[in-house]
Amino acid sequence: MSIPKFIVFCINSLMLHFYCILGVMNLDCGGLSCKMPQYIKTPYLRSLLKMRQSSYFAPTIKENPAEAQVVSHRLMLRSGMIRQVTSGVYNYLPLGLKVLQKIENIVREEMNASGAQEILMPMVQPLEIWKETGRDDKYGPELLRLKDRHDRDFCLGPTHEEVITDLVRNNVQSYKQLPFMLYQIQNKFRDEVRPRFGLMRGREFLMKDCYSFDVSVEKAKDSYEIMQKAYCRIFDRLGLDWRMVDADSGEIGGDFSHEFHVLASTGEDTLIFDTEGEYAVNVEKHDADNCSVPAERLKEAKGIEVGHIFLLKDAYSAPMSAEVLSDEGKNITIQMGCYGIGVSRIMAAAIEQNHDENGIIWPEQLAPFAIHLINLRGKDEECAAACDKLYADLKAQGHDVLYDDREAGAGQKFADADLIGCPWQCTIGPRGLKNGEAEWKNRRTGETVNLPLGELPQTLGSKAA
RNA sequence: CGGGGAGUAGCGCAGCCUGGUAGCGCACCUGGUUUGGGACCAGGGGGUCGGAGGUUCGAAUCCUCUCUCCCCGACCA
């Protein structure tokens, strides 16, 4: 490449970036396209920059895939949220990823608000540290092992106690540096004997794992309680019906292990809880307990375990010698806690709890889009113009909108919209347009109301996307 | 890991028993008619029948081995 050509190339590249930014701003501010470079007016870019379903990668399936037995798996495949790559391993398509990120963000915000600091640890871990804690043998074949070109042993991380304990012991020397909490949101791999139920029991899955580090067991319990409260806020914010139950904390004793379950008839765990009091346990623990609550007050429900918090004490820090110097100048072992949330499993659990025969009914907080805008007559210019304008207005008000501009039959569009399950469907067709109206349908209640174009249902908040 | 089932077009399946040029529905492409709950007519594209070996004049079909996926069970900080 000659020098003048190179300079021209550089200038062009810069201009391209500049135009892209301009283009995005213009399009998303309601089509103020007068200053838009010519190329960005191409239908291709326009459709990419708007969430136009005609070019949005959400391949829906009318028929039930044979391999999917549980409803969340079936609906995620059918609505084009996920696709299987191999047993227990999935691609997340744009719709699925948006949901996953919404869950992730709620979890992240509450972790940060609790003082935990976000980090990112590797998926590949040296096997040596697993030998230090003895979990190399204990985990067995569920730990997927691999060798590098130098014949060194590695494994794919099913959890990160070893890695984080190693990190902390190498970088903390004094009690003055404690306490702190670290967390990450990262893919885990467990080579399950039998992966099943789609995202409910995959081999690779997205998990939030948090770890606390304290100078004493008493202090570690304080950290535990902070996390316990954070978890309650998280599950409230997710908009799900959930229960916290006592879990078997083994030799540690006390109340320092809790499971968080999303209630769903398809859940694998059976929970027992007091309808009037605090008592709530997993059925296995109930059978072992001396429960003083009268039987008639106990209620049984199925749950999906989506969170588990645990006081580890020195289970990992002792074998790995994670120590700090105390105020008396003595070595003391760090006391730890660990706190997990199955992010991708929550996505499945949310569907198990929120669906009907037509598809998913997303809680507002998790929905991939708040509004599904449906142009009933793709070829009709008036309909298209009305939809384009409404789309721009809704975006300008901060609403997240998926715009079905496809030239398909009305039945197919309604069916897809119900399947994908956005909380609101806004339909514009020639019939309503004669009166200057759009039809708004609440996915959960099924209620519909005709409103003048641009007017929103009162129960639809005007939150920023 | 034990038991069972299945691999044939993107999806759902038939064909296999009894070997003889690979089919159906949906989806997809082209043209036209349609259009408020998965439309219609006409035309069209797409398959090394999971893979390898064997038997045979000839294999999706019979035999052997192998891989993968699914279901039930055991397992799951």
Side-chain angles (χ1 to χ4, degrees):
Chain A
M1 192 182 281
S2 66
I3 290 187
K5 270 187 186 168
F6 179 71
I7 289 169
V8 169
F9 170 78
C10 286
I11 290 171
N12 280 341
S13 298
L14 277 171
M15 293 302 279
L16 191 75
H17 284 102
F18 178 67
Y19 284 149
C20 277
I21 291 162
L22 252 188
V24 170
M25 289 170 64
N26 281 338
L27 282 166
D28 275 347
C29 289
L32 310 170
S33 57
C34 48
K35 287 179 187 161
M36 215 177 354
Q38 190 58 40
Y39 76 91
I40 219 155
K41 292 181 184 168
T42 61
Y44 174 65
L45 273 173
R46 202 161 52 217
S47 57
L48 283 185
L49 293 171
K50 292 188 178 182
M51 290 302 179
R52 281 180 187 261
Q53 217 170 328
S54 55
S55 51
Y56 195 73
F57 188 53
T60 56
I61 302 171
K62 193 155 94 178
E63 287 165 294
N64 273 325
E67 77 265 21
Q69 302 295 313
V70 299
V71 67
S72 61
H73 190 195
R74 220 161 47 220
L75 291 176
M76 275 189 269
L77 288 169
R78 287 192 52 208
S79 59
M81 306 236 168
I82 60 167
R83 286 292 183 267
Q84 178 166 306
V85 176
T86 185
S87 180
V89 178
Y90 293 86
N91 287 318
Y92 291 90
L93 279 43
L95 280 177
L97 182 61
K98 283 204 77 173
V99 175
L100 206 59
Q101 287 171 337
K102 296 223 167 172
I103 299 168
E104 222 178 280
N105 285 339
I106 289 173
V107 172
R108 180 175 284 117
E109 282 171 21
E110 292 299 334
M111 284 293 114
N112 292 344
S114 305
Q117 305 165 54
E118 186 166 10
I119 61 170
L120 185 57
M121 290 183 273
M123 186 163 197
V124 175
Q125 308 182 5
L127 201 60
E128 285 153 31
I129 51 177
W130 286 75
K131 287 182 175 155
E132 273 191 67
T133 58
R135 285 215 295 179
D136 173 28
D137 292 329
K138 197 189 158 213
Y139 235 92
E142 214 172 295
L143 194 61
L144 183 66
R145 294 141 210 267
L146 33 130
K147 284 179 185 290
D148 71 1
R149 59 170 70 194
H150 306 296
D151 212 35
R152 277 192 62 191
D153 292 311
F154 291 88
C155 64
L156 291 188
T159 176
H160 282 70
E161 281 84 4
E162 280 81 0
V163 172
I164 203 157
T165 306
D166 181 59
L167 172 71
V168 169
R169 72 175 167 185
N170 290 333
N171 295 281
V172 174
Q173 293 82 33
S174 161
Y175 73 97
K176 292 178 186 170
Q177 292 168 283
L178 301 179
F180 59 84
M181 293 191 276
L182 301 174
Y183 78 99
Q184 65 170 348
I185 299 173
Q186 188 242 22
N187 265 349
K188 299 281 181 282
F189 194 95
R190 294 181 188 176
D191 200 359
E192 293 271 352
V193 189
R194 185 153 90 84
R196 60 183 119 173
F197 308 147
L199 257 41
M200 294 255 274
R201 177 81 68 82
R203 291 197 290 177
E204 187 177 65
F205 54 96
L206 191 64
M207 183 172 179
K208 185 282 301 179
D209 48 325
C210 180
Y211 306 86
S212 62
F213 303 89
D214 284 275
V215 293
S216 68
V217 173
E218 282 310 307
K219 298 279 188 188
K221 288 177 180 174
D222 293 343
S223 295
Y224 183 95
E225 275 167 23
I226 289 171
M227 273 298 130
Q228 191 175 359
K229 283 176 186 150
Y231 271 47
C232 294
R233 285 198 304 272
I234 288 169
F235 291 109
D236 277 343
R237 281 188 61 187
L238 289 170
L240 300 172
D241 190 8
W242 62 278
R243 292 285 186 284
M244 178 178 78
V245 302
D246 289 349
D248 199 351
S249 50
E251 71 277 4
I252 292 166
D255 293 330
F256 289 93
S257 180
H258 291 92
E259 291 171 357
F260 293 78
H261 289 259
V262 168
L263 299 187
S265 57
T266 47
E268 288 189 87
D269 291 291
T270 303
L271 314 178
I272 290 178
F273 53 91
D274 184 352
T275 48
E276 294 167 39
E278 296 282 296
Y279 184 80
V281 295
N282 206 310
V283 70
E284 292 101 48
K285 190 166 191 293
H286 177 73
D287 293 340
D289 267 1
N290 289 320
C291 175
S292 57
V293 180
E296 60 272 17
R297 266 170 53 184
L298 292 175
K299 203 179 156 191
E300 212 177 272
K302 291 284 180 186
I304 301 163
E305 187 188 344
V306 288
H308 197 158
I309 59 177
F310 206 92
L311 192 65
L312 294 172
K313 295 190 175 179
D314 62 358
Y316 297 91
S317 47
M320 293 185 73
S321 305
E323 299 169 335
V324 290
L325 223 48
S326 74
D327 55 356
E328 294 169 339
K330 290 180 193 160
N331 272 329
I332 53 172
T333 303
I334 297 174
Q335 300 295 324
M336 294 170 56
C338 74
Y339 318 91
I341 288 184
V343 176
S344 47
R345 185 182 275 187
I346 285 174
M347 185 172 161
I351 296 173
E352 293 291 332
Q353 194 180 82
N354 297 281
H355 68 272
D356 63 15
E357 65 280 5
N358 295 321
I360 304 169
I361 306 171
W362 287 113
E364 265 178 50
Q365 302 87 325
L366 305 188
F369 292 92
I371 300 164
H372 201 152
L373 175 63
I374 300 169
N375 179 358
L376 260 198
R377 194 75 66 83
K379 278 181 179 166
D380 186 296
E381 278 183 27
E382 279 182 45
C383 278
C387 284
D388 283 358
K389 179 167 190 318
L390 185 56
Y391 175 84
D393 290 349
L394 290 170
K395 287 294 286 186
Q397 291 167 42
H399 294 289
D400 212 2
V401 185
L402 177 61
Y403 178 7
D404 190 349
D405 61 329
R406 298 173 302 168
E407 287 179 16
Q412 191 186 335
K413 293 187 179 196
F414 289 136
D416 278 349
D418 284 350
L419 187 59
I420 291 168
C422 299
W424 288 96
Q425 295 167 16
C426 175
T427 303
I428 292 183
R431 205 173 72 189
L433 206 54
K434 272 188 296 197
N435 310 319
E437 287 179 337
E439 181 189 275
W440 289 81
K441 174 180 155 185
N442 181 303
R443 175 67 180 91
R444 190 173 289 277
T445 63
E447 288 166 30
T448 62
V449 55
N450 289 312
L451 294 173
L453 277 174
E455 196 171 307
L456 274 49
Q458 293 191 332
T459 43
L460 175 70
S462 58
K463 292 181 295 253

